[in-house]
Amino acid sequence: MHLTSVVVAASLFLIVDTTSASSAAKPSTINRQKIVQSFNVRRTASSKTTPLQVGNGNLAFGADITGLQTFLPYNILSTWGWHNFSLPETATPNNFTGLDWDTHGRLVNYDQPNPAEQAISDWLIQNPQRINLARMGLDFGNLTGASGKAVTKADLVNATQTLDLWTGSILSSFVLNGTAVEIETWAHPEEDMIGIAIRSDHLASGNLGLFIDFPYPDTSKFDAPFVGVYPNASSSANVSNAYGETFQTVFDPWYGTIQRILASKDGTTGASNANDTSYYLQLQWNNYGHMAGPTPGTKGRYVLTAANSTELLFVSAFSSSGDFVPMSFGGLSDASSDWWPDYWKSGAFVDITASNDTQAKELQRRTVLSQYLTVVNSASTNPPQGESSLSWCLVNNGWYGKFHLEMAFWHLVHFARWGHFDLLARSLPDMYTRFLPSSIDRAKKQGYQGARWGKMTDPTGRSAPGEINSLLIWQQPHPMYFAELHYRAYPNASTLHQWDDIITATADFMASFAFFNKTTGVYDLGPPMYPVSETGNPNATINPAFELAYWRFGLDVAIRWKQRLSGNGTANANATATIPKAWIDVRDKLAPLPVVNGTFTTYEGIPNMWSDPATVTDHPALAGIYGWLPPSTSGRQPLNLTVVQNTANKIRTTWDLKNSYGWDFPMLAMNSLRLGDVKQALAYLLDPSFAFDDAGYPAGGSRVPTPYMPSSGALLQAVAMLAGGWDGSSGSHFPAEWNAVVEGFSVGL
Ligand SMILES: *[C@@H]1O[C@H](CO)[C@@H](O)[C@H](O)[C@H]1NC(C)=O
Ligand SMILES: *[C@@H]1O[C@H](CO)[C@@H](O)[C@H](O)[C@H]1NC(C)=O
Ligand SMILES: *[C@@H]1O[C@H](CO)[C@@H](O)[C@H](O)[C@H]1NC(C)=O
Ligand SMILES: *[C@@H]1O[C@H](CO)[C@@H](O)[C@H](O)[C@H]1NC(C)=O
Ligand SMILES: *[C@@H]1O[C@H](CO)[C@@H](O)[C@H](O)[C@H]1NC(C)=O
Ligand SMILES: *[C@@H]1O[C@H](CO)[C@@H](O)[C@H](O)[C@H]1NC(C)=O
Ligand SMILES: *[C@@H]1O[C@H](CO)[C@@H](O)[C@H](O)[C@H]1NC(C)=O
Ligand SMILES: *[C@@H]1O[C@H](CO)[C@@H](O)[C@H](O)[C@H]1NC(C)=O
Ligand SMILES: *[C@@H]1O[C@H](CO)[C@@H](O)[C@H](O)[C@H]1NC(C)=O
Ligand SMILES: *[C@@H]1O[C@H](CO)[C@@H](O)[C@H](O)[C@H]1NC(C)=O
Ligand SMILES: *[C@@H]1O[C@H](CO)[C@@H](O)[C@H](O)[C@H]1NC(C)=O
Ligand SMILES: *[C@@H]1O[C@H](CO)[C@@H](O)[C@H](O)[C@H]1NC(C)=O
């Protein structure tokens, strides 16, 4: 099975290294199963914004109240299913030249939309977009609803469903026209397969079946909650339909294959000009099953029925190659029933159920549900080549389904703190290795050393054109943070070598990006640049406080990395020969963090820091200087904790927190925690603007669609700080009266 080999290859370093894992499994004193299952999600109606999901980080299935996608067309999204629309008539990506901006006296080229190249600029932003692989729902045959019309959700009596977190499956049931219908929905934990069981007497009469439909991609920036469109166009098997799509099908009595081939034209303007995307559904079902389709008058709808049987068992394997060995439904559900309990029993765990405090109850709920959802949505495998790539949200498509490298931190870092290095190792450090060549090209084209990491990224490593995309810099030091946590768990030469090229190229860029200001005698960051908050004039943004702190942290780690390498795993402070002088020079002469009136400011010289509404809004990154980063270990410019405290106070009283979202609250909480204010930390984590729905999905808000998955990872990172502490203050920081039991946490940076 080809996908198995990919998974094995990606987790090789884990297999090699687990022997030295510091968090070797100890018997748990917590009844994890009882706690986990007490948060099983129960619904009696579909949510209009979030599905229930089963999945494995590379493929996920979103279900409505039927356990399928019957009434609400939730999505089946993968890390590898991408589609390009046709190029504009006259241009290719090579025609895109971006814009040149003055950067310290020279012109630097940035990937920004160029008004003279509007068509190709737009195309590069919108393509590729992630494709919704299929929709699967109940076909009601000749059954009708109460009004004699088509069955609607109103015709389902006693509809109920449960997501069992312990096994990663959904059980849904309802009564239709007096007859019970039961549906099980499963995902294979490591391969891209969905398993569905339908049980009902309606099957036997031939009036209940499973339909498979194929949404067509579109170019919505936020395709949520449903991805794609369902144009109605006639089609027949093995013939190109009006949408430039071909379905190649082979159906045998108990199994079959549907190959979907999408040409890049959207079909509205004529014939196709290229085959862009092709993928396979390899299907297997139990006896009595009968597959038919595509249904005339539809764009490509297949229906599987099972007359004479009261049970239909069905498995669909999704792949871009089609060389899968089909697996039985029983085999698939067994694999999931084995994998998920292993996941829950390994790694760290928090038990705050002894507390009757409503805050503890809600925090426990959010924590358990986030532990489930981050695996389903973010534990992607990142094979080094091909169309496959990362995905940190398999619920819907935000930003065309592209992923943002500055968000890697919030999506992934918690796996390290929670002792799930196997899940982290699915994508790191491979993701950085894979994007290293394109990031070296980006830096070189701009006249810098090393590698400049992109932002809004697709499988090719391209960073989508955008003013903010091209001028944001806080994604740059992330590899150092990941590497440091990795080394902490696996302090050996293998870890050092895996990250060395990445860290070296990252630090080389950081050192050459810093501009030596002869007047002040310090290295400046920017202009032009955007700080974390993405606010202000990029041409006037110089020396942002958080980025300066992060630059210093990153260079500290890079320097230490070289010392460790030359000391064969143990720090050798004399290893200066192997450390680029520029790293030390820049770290030691970076501009000081800007302080005015006793508080940090977003950047140096910002006017009206605390009185301009446009300034005290969006991400309050000033709280990250201490909340997220450890104080610098170089001894240079020790952090002034009075200023940190003043800034925290000012943020609390002045910042437009109602307009904050996502990981802002966990970051604020971690800052309060390090400052010793646990009460305030909990208040931030349970702030009304940081909401989680019944299934644990974090609310988006006016700026981003729901769910906004970085909130889930960030919450787990903050809970890890509460449970495991950090250097110099390890252990649990939960209120004593909560009687928290915690196990398996590594100490944070
Ligand atoms: C794009 O580049 C090609 C090849 O250099 C050129 O022929 C074409 O005119 C360019 N298109 C535009 C819109 O500039
Ligand atoms: C920044 O400066 C560049 C010229 O270097 C100019 O083209 C651009 O419009 C300026 N941007 C803003 C937001 O002022
Ligand atoms: C509903 O059930 C009744 C009796 O069980 C049956 O006569 C009728 O045909 C069913 N209606 C539909 C639309 O299947
Ligand atoms: C729905 O559930 C209620 C309560 O369990 C039960 O009394 C009723 O018979 C059920 N209705 C159907 C149609 O099964
Ligand atoms: C559904 O109705 C059509 C038209 O009356 C009929 O041909 C078909 O056999 C029916 N299907 C079943 C499963 O009863
Ligand atoms: C698209 O793929 C199909 C099936 O492989 C092939 O028959 C057809 O010629 C291809 N079309 C183009 C434009 O390449
Ligand atoms: C159902 O069983 C009957 C009786 O054995 C048979 O005639 C019929 O063909 C079967 N239908 C299907 C769809 O298998
Ligand atoms: C919580 O409430 C239960 C039931 O009321 C009680 O038995 C228990 O002692 C309480 N626990 C704490 C820590 O207050
Ligand atoms: C040097 O720093 C000062 C103070 O931040 C600034 O005003 C000046 O523009 C900088 N010089 C250059 C060449 O960037
Ligand atoms: C450290 O020493 C061991 C044993 O001599 C050697 O195998 C290994 O390659 C060395 N590692 C580094 C990073 O030099
Ligand atoms: C570093 O160099 C100094 C001076 O040469 C020496 O005393 C010290 O032992 C060296 N330390 C290490 C770890 O090699
Ligand atoms: C600093 O405080 C003084 C006195 O309250 C005030 O006038 C000034 O505007 C403040 N500066 C900034 C940048 O907020």
Side-chain angles (χ1 to χ4, degrees):
M1 288 190 214
H2 84 290
L3 278 195
T4 309
S5 60
V6 169
V7 170
V8 169
S11 47
L12 259 189
F13 96 63
L14 173 85
I15 292 163
V16 170
D17 277 349
T18 32
T19 47
S20 61
S22 52
S23 52
K26 287 193 205 113
S28 179
T29 58
I30 301 172
N31 186 341
R32 295 187 180 196
Q33 180 171 359
K34 180 164 171 247
I35 293 174
V36 169
Q37 286 186 311
S38 73
F39 295 102
N40 280 352
V41 183
R42 291 185 176 77
R43 283 183 172 172
T44 55
S46 303
S47 156
K48 288 198 176 70
T49 46
T50 64
L52 294 186
Q53 278 179 299
V54 294
N56 59 29
N58 291 309
L59 181 106
F61 183 102
D64 70 7
I65 189 61
T66 65
L68 301 171
Q69 296 148 348
T70 307
F71 298 114
L72 295 183
Y74 282 119
N75 315 304
I76 305 176
L77 295 173
S78 70
T79 51
W80 46 263
W82 296 83
H83 170 263
N84 283 297
F85 282 104
S86 308
L87 287 165
E89 294 288 316
T90 56
T92 73
N94 292 334
N95 291 96
F96 175 75
T97 62
L99 291 178
D100 291 337
W101 277 24
D102 177 73
T103 304
H104 291 290
R106 65 191 182 94
L107 285 180
V108 167
N109 184 258
Y110 296 97
D111 285 347
Q112 296 182 4
N114 183 334
E117 302 165 349
Q118 197 63 55
I120 192 64
S121 298
D122 290 345
W123 188 91
L124 285 166
I125 293 168
Q126 296 173 348
N127 291 279
Q129 68 287 145
R130 190 167 51 183
I131 192 169
N132 183 1
L133 296 176
R135 171 185 175 188
M136 296 183 174
L138 292 173
D139 182 279
F140 294 109
N142 288 349
L143 288 169
T144 55
S147 55
K149 299 205 177 99
V151 175
T152 69
K153 62 184 187 323
D155 298 311
L156 310 189
V157 178
N158 289 351
T160 169
Q161 70 183 165
T162 303
L163 167 64
D164 182 24
L165 303 167
W166 191 254
T167 57
S169 61
I170 304 169
L171 180 62
S172 312
S173 64
F174 56 85
V175 174
L176 178 62
N177 197 25
T179 298
V181 179
E182 187 185 284
I183 297 121
E184 288 178 42
T185 316
W186 296 80
H188 192 283
E190 272 152 346
E191 304 194 30
D192 295 346
M193 287 194 246
I194 296 298
I196 295 167
I198 304 174
R199 295 186 188 90
S200 175
D201 287 344
H202 281 314
L203 281 172
S205 70
N207 274 321
L208 190 66
L210 178 78
F211 74 74
I212 306 174
D213 216 341
F214 293 90
Y216 202 75
D218 65 18
T219 52
S220 302
K221 179 177 180 184
F222 294 119
D223 227 3
F226 312 124
V227 178
V229 292
Y230 293 84
N232 218 6
S234 61
S235 168
S236 57
N238 305 330
V239 173
S240 228
N241 67 16
Y243 281 81
E245 241 180 329
T246 310
F247 294 94
Q248 308 251 3
T249 56
V250 183
F251 294 133
D252 285 314
W254 296 318
Y255 57 91
T257 300
I258 301 173
Q259 183 191 6
R260 184 191 195 192
I261 304 163
L262 277 155
S264 57
K265 269 272 196 278
D266 64 8
T268 54
T269 54
S272 59
N273 63 358
N275 281 331
D276 180 79
T277 303
S278 158
Y279 61 93
Y280 296 82
L281 276 66
Q282 281 167 288
L283 315 170
Q284 205 202 70
W285 53 85
N286 61 332
N287 49 356
Y288 299 114
H290 175 73
M291 180 70 85
T295 312
T298 71
K299 190 179 70 68
R301 172 174 284 212
Y302 296 84
V303 179
L304 177 64
T305 48
N308 287 351
S309 173
T310 56
E311 180 179 68
L312 178 58
L313 303 178
F314 168 83
V315 170
S316 175
F318 298 82
S319 70
S320 52
S321 62
D323 54 1
F324 244 106
V325 176
M327 176 184 261
S328 70
F329 174 83
L332 190 158
S333 55
D334 282 353
S336 184
S337 307
D338 285 346
W339 192 93
W340 279 97
D342 278 353
Y343 165 72
W344 289 113
K345 286 188 254 173
S346 64
F349 205 82
V350 166
D351 176 5
I352 44 178
T353 56
S355 167
N356 289 334
D357 191 320
T358 52
Q359 282 196 324
K361 287 194 189 310
E362 177 60 7
L363 196 57
Q364 180 84 66
R365 184 186 80 86
R366 293 179 179 198
T367 300
V368 168
L369 291 172
S370 299
Q371 284 175 272
Y372 179 77
L373 291 176
T374 50
V375 174
V376 169
N377 288 285
S378 314
S380 333
T381 304
N382 182 51
Q385 67 268 318
E387 289 300 294
S388 187
S389 200
L390 299 174
S391 184
W392 299 319
C393 176
L394 292 166
V395 180
N396 56 38
N397 274 359
W399 295 273
Y400 314 98
K402 295 182 183 188
F403 46 95
H404 295 242
L405 290 193
E406 84 280 15
M407 283 298 122
F409 182 84
W410 296 116
H411 285 294
L412 296 175
V413 78
H414 60 94
F415 286 129
R417 294 297 312 277
W418 283 75
H420 289 296
F421 269 94
D422 52 336
L423 301 180
L424 190 64
R426 287 178 174 183
S427 60
L428 295 184
D430 302 13
M431 173 189 87
Y432 288 112
T433 306
R434 177 170 173 197
F435 295 139
L436 192 56
S438 55
S439 301
I440 289 172
D441 287 350
R442 185 176 295 114
K444 197 168 171 190
K445 206 174 108 194
Q446 297 185 336
Y448 296 112
Q449 308 286 308
R452 180 173 198 160
W453 302 109
K455 186 200 182 286
M456 180 171 151
T457 304
D458 66 48
T460 66
R462 188 162 66 206
S463 191
E467 185 172 303
I468 291 171
N469 291 350
S470 65
L471 295 173
L472 213 62
I473 63 168
W474 63 280
Q475 70 271 35
Q476 189 68 23
H478 288 351
M480 281 77 164
Y481 205 109
F482 286 121
E484 192 64 15
L485 284 177
H486 187 179
Y487 187 75
R488 179 164 286 206
Y490 303 98
N492 57 45
S494 159
T495 305
L496 292 174
H497 287 296
Q498 280 181 66
W499 286 93
D500 189 39
D501 287 351
I502 296 163
I503 287 188
T504 302
T506 303
D508 283 345
F509 172 77
M510 288 165 66
S512 76
F513 178 80
F515 174 80
F516 189 67
N517 186 322
K518 292 202 184 75
T519 315
T520 54
V522 299
Y523 283 97
D524 291 332
L525 298 184
M529 63 160 293
Y530 272 101
V532 175
S533 55
E534 303 182 358
T535 52
N537 175 354
N539 289 326
T541 301
I542 182 169
N543 292 329
F546 174 77
E547 282 79 357
L548 282 172
Y550 208 10
W551 238 243
R552 194 171 281 117
F553 165 86
L555 290 171
D556 269 350
V557 171
I559 290 164
R560 206 152 58 229
W561 211 259
K562 292 294 181 194
Q563 290 170 340
R564 286 173 182 149
L565 268 168
S566 59
N568 198 353
T570 56
N572 176 1
N574 289 350
T576 43
T578 65
I579 302 170
K581 283 204 172 46
W583 299 3
I584 298 173
D585 196 42
V586 170
R587 178 195 63 181
D588 292 351
K589 292 192 198 132
L590 263 182
L593 307 194
V595 175
V596 173
N597 285 357
T599 70
F600 293 125
T601 61
T602 301
Y603 61 87
E604 191 179 297
I606 186 172
N608 312 314
M609 173 67 216
W610 300 102
S611 55
D612 179 355
T615 298
V616 287
T617 191
D618 210 293
H619 303 304
L622 294 176
I625 292 168
Y626 194 48
W628 154 0
L629 302 178
S632 171
T633 51
S634 66
R636 304 282 160 177
Q637 300 197 23
L639 202 55
N640 181 332
L641 289 183
T642 307
V643 176
V644 173
Q645 181 69 63
N646 292 346
T647 308
N649 296 345
K650 204 78 178 163
I651 291 172
R652 199 183 63 245
T653 55
T654 313
W655 209 268
D656 179 16
L657 291 176
K658 286 210 162 50
N659 217 6
S660 287
Y661 62 96
W663 42 276
D664 295 354
F665 293 96
M667 181 171 63
L668 288 162
M670 291 191 282
N671 193 38
S672 297
L673 205 50
R674 282 213 215 237
L675 286 167
D677 193 346
V678 175
K679 208 168 159 224
Q680 181 60 50
L682 293 172
Y684 278 135
L685 287 181
L686 294 154
D687 190 284
S689 298
F690 188 51
F692 288 74
D693 78 1
D694 66 312
Y697 291 100
S702 57
R703 316 262 308 274
V704 293
T706 293
Y708 182 65
M709 294 307 294
S711 302
S712 307
L715 173 80
L716 292 178
Q717 173 72 351
V719 172
M721 287 280 274
L722 272 160
W726 55 95
D727 285 342
S729 188
S730 61
S732 169
H733 290 68
F734 285 109
E737 64 275 18
W738 282 17
N739 295 315
V741 183
V742 304
E743 54 193 23
F745 286 95
S746 59
V747 179
L749 301 180

